[in-house]
Amino acid sequence: MTELAKYVGPDIDHPWMGMGVGEQEMGYLFGQYKRISNKFYSGGQPFLSGGDQTFYKAPGFGVVHFASEMLKDRSDTLAGKRCLILGSGKVAMAVAEKLLEYGAIPLTFSDPSGHVYEPDGINTGRLKTISTIKAERGALLGRYIISSTSAQFNDPESILDIPCDLCFPCGAMSEIDDVAVNRLADGGCVGVMEGGNAAVTDKARSVLRKRAMLYGPHTLTLTGPAIVHAKLGIHASDAQLKQEVQRIYSDVKKTASEFNARGDLYAGAKLTGFLRVANAMLNHGSV
């Protein structure tokens, strides 16, 4: 944080929780930031603190809202969709929570110990149990099978062999490669929505296009935190977040079409970001 403090702050940017970084680690970061900075409040709320649950769940909620918008373009919905979730951190938990609200069926979670699979889906009660287990530092998913008579642990051996409609990789980078995409597609999967940074490799993106699968790139799906921090504020509601997701999705689609990349949200998101930065530079007199 000593070095990071130059680039973050209540009026600049907010670091976010992720893999290996929870409330306790954020507390350590805030403690050091408070030691070396005179300003750690903005709008009546301390930096790295405050806000309702939308503030902390925005990354996962945003991923699912984008998935919903993508399915709408195919005259489809999330209702009834069987969803693989790779990972079991805060983003993965928020994804599962929002999927349940949309009527989808989360099937799995994973961590270094392996994966748990509920053939009939992870309902609200099961999700609460898993969240409680993972809230304990160092706890692994394997403990969940003690509290469930229907859960399967590392069965099948690969989580990618579980038939599904959608896949939400919320864990490590490059978790989904070209081989993984083909396995998912062969199992009936119609789309991959990134809930982790760069979870899909370049080769995997090519296979997704060839097999006509939906692909939600992290440059688009993980804009939830930026939406909340930069525009809506830490007390934003999920309804407001959803509305902004719809607007951004529409902008990215339009931009992709304008630059002869119709339907390519990866290209559309990059182009949209570039244009916004370029326009801002022009407004400040840069050429």
Side-chain angles (χ1 to χ4, degrees):
M1 176 52 82
T2 303
E3 180 65 21
L4 187 63
K6 301 174 185 177
Y7 311 101
V8 300
D11 298 318
I12 305 172
D13 199 3
H14 282 243
W16 214 270
M17 289 180 283
M19 291 186 66
V21 179
E23 287 93 340
Q24 187 168 355
E25 287 77 16
M26 295 299 281
Y28 295 150
L29 290 171
F30 176 67
Q32 177 65 359
Y33 183 86
K34 188 175 178 181
R35 287 180 59 199
I36 60 182
S37 175
N38 290 325
K39 184 174 183 181
F40 45 88
Y41 268 78
S42 180
Q45 290 293 340
F47 179 48
L48 299 178
S49 179
D52 60 17
Q53 288 301 305
T54 301
F55 181 75
Y56 297 109
K57 296 180 180 180
F61 283 9
V63 171
V64 180
H65 287 318
F66 275 113
S68 176
E69 293 302 308
M70 293 170 69
L71 286 169
K72 280 183 185 178
D73 280 348
R74 292 193 174 187
S75 300
D76 203 352
T77 68
L78 280 167
K81 294 291 185 295
R82 293 172 62 82
C83 305
L84 289 188
I85 299 176
L86 280 62
S88 56
K90 292 191 177 296
V91 174
M93 295 295 171
V95 165
E97 180 181 335
K98 188 54 61 177
L99 283 173
L100 287 169
E101 290 183 21
Y102 270 102
I105 307 169
L107 298 174
T108 63
F109 284 111
S110 65
D111 69 8
S113 70
H115 65 270
V116 291
Y117 167 41
E118 285 281 8
D120 296 328
I122 297 170
N123 57 27
T124 304
R126 291 167 176 169
L127 177 60
K128 185 176 181 180
T129 300
I130 294 173
S131 297
T132 300
I133 291 171
K134 293 299 293 183
E136 297 181 24
R137 295 185 66 80
L140 298 174
L141 278 172
R143 285 178 49 186
Y144 172 68
I145 60 172
I146 300 173
S147 59
S148 174
T149 57
S150 57
Q152 298 173 201
F153 184 64
N154 289 341
D155 180 22
E157 185 175 351
S158 172
I159 191 173
L160 301 176
D161 289 333
I162 298 171
C164 67
D165 298 305
L166 295 169
C167 177
F168 292 82
C170 303
M173 296 174 67
S174 303
E175 193 167 17
I176 301 295
D177 57 16
D178 52 330
V179 175
V181 171
N182 279 317
R183 292 175 76 173
L184 288 167
D186 291 342
C189 184
V190 299
V192 176
M193 314 295 167
E194 285 186 306
N197 288 303
V200 175
T201 65
D202 291 339
K203 286 185 178 180
R205 280 194 289 271
S206 297
V207 178
L208 284 165
R209 286 194 295 271
K210 289 178 182 177
R211 303 203 62 160
M213 295 173 69
L214 293 172
Y215 171 49
H218 73 275
T219 46
L220 176 65
T221 58
L222 288 177
T223 52
I227 293 171
V228 171
H229 170 61
K231 184 165 185 178
L232 300 180
I234 58 177
H235 295 295
S237 68
D238 183 54
Q240 290 174 306
L241 175 62
K242 181 178 180 180
Q243 188 174 18
E244 280 300 301
V245 163
Q246 292 171 337
R247 180 189 64 78
I248 292 171
Y249 178 71
S250 178
D251 288 348
V252 168
K253 264 201 322 177
K254 182 179 178 181
T255 302
S257 296
E258 288 176 355
F259 286 84
N260 200 30
R262 183 180 178 86
D264 189 341
L265 297 178
Y266 180 72
K270 283 197 167 186
L271 288 165
T272 301
F274 172 81
L275 289 173
R276 287 183 178 177
V277 172
N279 289 335
M281 292 175 68
L282 287 172
N283 289 336
H284 284 81
S286 299
V287 179

